[in-house]
């Protein structure tokens, strides 16, 4: 659309010199998040793990059924888990992160049940044991809380920018507000990150026992938040 040589905007401005062109703000927002993900390597590890969870249930009706049964065992809710930090809009990534947070106890119970299921192959059981260990790690829970808070702000921003009534002035105001909120998270934890830290101190989140996993490199919260801010700033 905005190609310098043959993009639609270039062709139109050649014909109408006074035409004002503007790159889609929603798309630029997605690119800002994508750049931040690329800059902080631990976020990619987080993304890969959530992709595993998505594939586990999207490709198997049996697993989906067993997850619902596990949810009943622990009295937990289950939400559909989609892809995260992919080519979809950031609001979709937020829904996926929210689904994992909401379904946390059910997911852990299903992983534990499957790890002990003798009808599965030893390789499958080993895979589920690994998934359970990841779910029970303090590091992953804190990463999930951090991503929940950050993506919640981006999803809210994205939805507001899509309003038909939004103006450039309003968009600028919304972007600056989001940057201020992200900056505040560097000093004062967001709601879910705070819940994760509390659970970390208690050693459990509901029925899920938590322990540190030295093999996991947690997301550097301040680095990730600053990267998001840095990539948003040029949009103002």
């Amino acid at each position: 659309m905005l190609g310098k040589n043959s993009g639609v905007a270039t062709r139109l401005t050649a014909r109408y010199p006074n035409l004002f062109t503007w790159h889609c703000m929603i798309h630029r927002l997605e690119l800002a998040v994508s750049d931040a993900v690329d800059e902080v390597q631990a976020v990619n590890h987080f993304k890969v793990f959530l992709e595993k969870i998505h594939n586990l249930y999207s490709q198997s009706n049996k697993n989906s059924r067993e997850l619902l049964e596990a949810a009943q065992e622990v009295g937990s809710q289950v939400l559909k888990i989609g892809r995260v930090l992919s080519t979809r809009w950031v609001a979709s990534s937020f829904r996926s992160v929210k689904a994992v947070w909401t379904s946390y106890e059910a997911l852990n119970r299903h992983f534990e049940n499957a790890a002990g299921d003798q009808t599965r192959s030893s390789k499958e059981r080993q895979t589920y044991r690994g998934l359970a260990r990841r779910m029970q790690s303090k590091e992953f829970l804190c990463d999930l809380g951090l991503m929940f808070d950050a993506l919640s702000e981006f999803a809210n921003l994205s939805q507001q920018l899509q309003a038909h009534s939004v103006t450039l002035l309003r968009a600028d105001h919304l972007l600056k507000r989001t940057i201020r909120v992200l900056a505040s998270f560097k000093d004062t934890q967001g709601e879910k990150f705070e819940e994760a830290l509390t659970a970390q101190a208690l050693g459990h989140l509901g029925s899920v026992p938590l322990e540190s996993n030295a093999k996991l490199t947690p997301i550097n919260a301040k680095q990730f938040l600053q990267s998001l801010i840095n990539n948003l700033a040029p949009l103002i």
Side-chain angles (χ1 to χ4, degrees):
M1 289 292 289
L2 294 181
K4 292 183 179 180
N5 297 319
S6 60
V8 174
T10 300
R11 294 182 180 183
L12 286 174
T13 50
R15 187 169 183 177
Y16 306 101
N18 294 325
L19 181 67
F20 179 76
T21 61
W22 188 260
H23 192 158
C24 172
M25 187 66 76
I26 308 299
H27 186 216
R28 294 177 71 188
L29 178 64
E30 300 300 321
L31 293 176
V33 175
S34 178
D35 288 343
V37 170
D38 290 340
E39 291 170 6
V40 183
Q41 187 175 9
V43 179
N44 276 304
H45 298 319
F46 173 86
K47 174 183 175 181
V48 168
F49 181 62
L50 261 64
E51 283 290 323
K52 288 182 180 178
I53 296 178
H54 164 72
N55 293 335
L56 194 68
Y57 297 107
S58 66
Q59 299 173 6
S60 171
N61 290 331
K62 176 185 177 182
N63 284 335
S64 296
R65 184 179 67 255
E66 290 179 348
L67 177 60
L68 291 175
E69 293 171 354
Q72 292 180 339
E73 290 179 24
V74 297
S76 175
Q77 185 181 2
V78 172
L79 298 180
K80 183 178 179 180
I81 301 170
R83 295 186 179 279
V84 63
L85 302 174
S86 61
T87 55
R88 299 188 178 190
W89 296 129
V90 69
S92 177
S93 291
F94 170 64
R95 286 193 294 271
S96 296
V97 168
K98 180 180 179 181
V100 173
W101 181 277
T102 303
S103 311
Y104 208 90
E105 291 185 75
L107 287 166
N108 180 71
R109 177 59 64 88
H110 179 228
F111 295 158
E112 288 188 325
N113 289 347
D117 184 357
Q118 296 302 312
T119 65
R120 296 179 182 270
S121 68
S122 59
K123 183 178 180 180
E124 280 186 294
R125 295 197 301 274
Q126 182 62 33
T127 296
Y128 282 104
R129 277 193 289 271
L131 292 171
R133 282 196 297 270
R134 186 69 176 262
M135 290 295 292
Q136 294 168 11
S137 69
K138 295 178 178 180
E139 292 80 6
F140 173 71
L141 179 62
C142 286
D143 287 350
L144 186 65
L146 172 65
M147 296 301 293
F148 190 114
D149 292 331
L151 290 178
S152 174
E153 291 300 321
F154 273 88
N156 182 53
L157 173 61
S158 177
Q159 290 172 352
Q160 292 188 70
L161 290 175
Q162 293 177 58
H164 291 298
S165 60
V166 73
T167 63
L168 289 178
L169 186 62
R170 174 63 175 165
D172 181 72
H173 170 76
L174 292 171
L175 282 166
K176 289 179 178 177
R177 176 201 168 277
T178 299
I179 288 176
R180 288 196 300 272
V181 172
L182 293 174
S184 73
F185 285 164
K186 293 170 63 179
D187 299 314
T188 305
Q189 291 84 9
E191 179 184 354
K192 296 304 180 184
F193 191 43
E194 181 66 30
E195 286 184 31
L197 290 175
T198 299
Q200 183 184 66
L202 293 172
H204 67 88
L205 178 68
S207 62
V208 182
L210 299 173
E211 58 183 21
S212 294
N213 187 333
K215 294 182 179 180
L216 296 182
T217 301
I219 297 172
N220 184 313
K222 290 188 176 182
Q223 180 190 9
F224 179 57
L225 291 168
Q226 188 59 52
S227 181
L228 289 172
I229 292 170
N230 292 344
N231 284 290
L232 274 182
L235 275 63
I236 299 176

